[in-house]
Amino acid sequence: MIIDDALGDAVRNNAEWCQAMCHAHGHPGTFGVRAWTNDRRTPLYYPEAVTLTGDATVEDVLTGIDRTTPYASVKDSYARLDLAAEGFRVIVEAQWIHRAAGLPLPAATGDWRPVRTPEELAAWALAWSDGDAGDATLFRPELLADPATTVVAGYTSHGRILGGAVLTASARVTGVSNLFTTEGTDPSAAWAGVLGAAPTDRPVVGYESGEDLPPALATGFEEIGPLRVWLDA
């Protein structure tokens, strides 16, 4: 039951972050009983649908999204859907992760703090995108006005960005997404810095895959379930 509750909290938290991003771009989605969906094309890298429960169906996710143009995507939060017959293919296989509240924090280096101004956000986004100005426009200043969203950056003593992430506060957990490092920064150091900026009295959740997963596990996270992202190509 603990794992089930943690997974449900992680799934809902991530859907709320997708909603926040879409809201910042002027077209929020809709929360249903079993899925969050958006009937317009969502911002780059964000899904048009997210399953919220393990019993969500193909119909739950497809009836609420626009498929008149290619590249709609579905975050299959419980890795239980089969969308192949609908023309989708799996593009991401990942693991939800959970870090219990109250665990000792790993030692962090650098100055990790919330981004407060549009100028700071623009610099953060450019570092996140590895210098791609087009991708950097994903993170709009409207996010800074969202009380549930905290963009965190780590700085050297000379002001160079070490890395960063987005924290999303929901009912029972804090979500971490978009964690990145700049050249020369160890990913475990970024996790340490971001965790130090998160509330310590609630669990921290997120998802990672591939080589990005071990650094998270090294800082106290545990795997709690698989997810998939499907793309309609």
Side-chain angles (χ1 to χ4, degrees):
M1 179 62 72
I2 292 175
I3 290 179
D4 289 345
D5 289 347
L7 180 54
D9 287 341
V11 167
R12 180 75 186 197
N13 177 277
N14 188 259
E16 290 178 6
W17 164 236
C18 292
Q19 176 79 328
M21 177 59 82
C22 290
H23 188 272
H25 283 253
H27 47 94
T30 301
F31 280 93
V33 175
R34 292 186 292 271
W36 172 89
T37 56
N38 198 316
D39 62 4
R40 295 174 59 183
R41 189 60 78 243
T42 51
L44 185 67
Y45 307 126
Y46 284 78
E48 277 68 35
V50 180
T51 59
L52 300 175
T53 63
D55 61 352
T57 66
V58 171
E59 183 179 8
D60 288 327
V61 296
L62 296 190
T63 56
I65 67 175
D66 176 15
R67 297 186 65 196
T68 60
T69 57
Y71 308 121
S73 61
V74 172
K75 183 173 288 178
D76 178 7
S77 302
Y78 292 82
R80 294 181 183 176
L81 296 181
D82 184 356
L83 294 170
E86 299 292 335
F88 286 73
R89 60 185 175 87
V90 175
I91 59 168
V92 174
E93 297 263 11
Q95 283 287 329
W96 292 106
I97 54 175
H98 175 275
R99 189 178 193 273
L103 292 180
L105 291 174
T109 57
D111 177 19
W112 294 81
R113 63 179 189 269
V115 168
R116 300 295 190 192
T117 69
E119 294 76 18
E120 289 178 346
L121 180 61
W124 180 98
L126 198 61
W128 168 86
S129 68
D130 198 22
D132 187 319
D135 279 7
T137 61
L138 177 64
F139 293 90
R140 295 186 172 182
E142 287 84 351
L143 289 169
L144 300 177
D146 180 1
T149 300
T150 303
V151 180
V152 176
Y155 301 91
T156 67
S157 59
H158 299 292
R160 183 177 70 84
I161 294 178
L162 295 166
V166 176
L167 300 178
T168 301
S170 56
R172 297 192 296 189
V173 298
T174 299
V176 177
S177 62
N178 294 280
L179 187 134
F180 72 95
T181 60
T182 56
E183 186 176 358
T185 304
D186 188 302
S188 295
W191 277 108
V194 169
L195 288 170
T200 58
D201 61 346
R202 55 172 51 198
V204 180
V205 296
Y207 70 87
E208 295 292 348
S209 63
E211 65 182 15
D212 295 325
L213 181 58
L217 300 180
T219 55
F221 284 91
E222 296 180 331
E223 299 177 29
I224 56 172
L227 73 144
R228 298 188 183 114
V229 178
W230 295 80
L231 181 68
D232 181 11

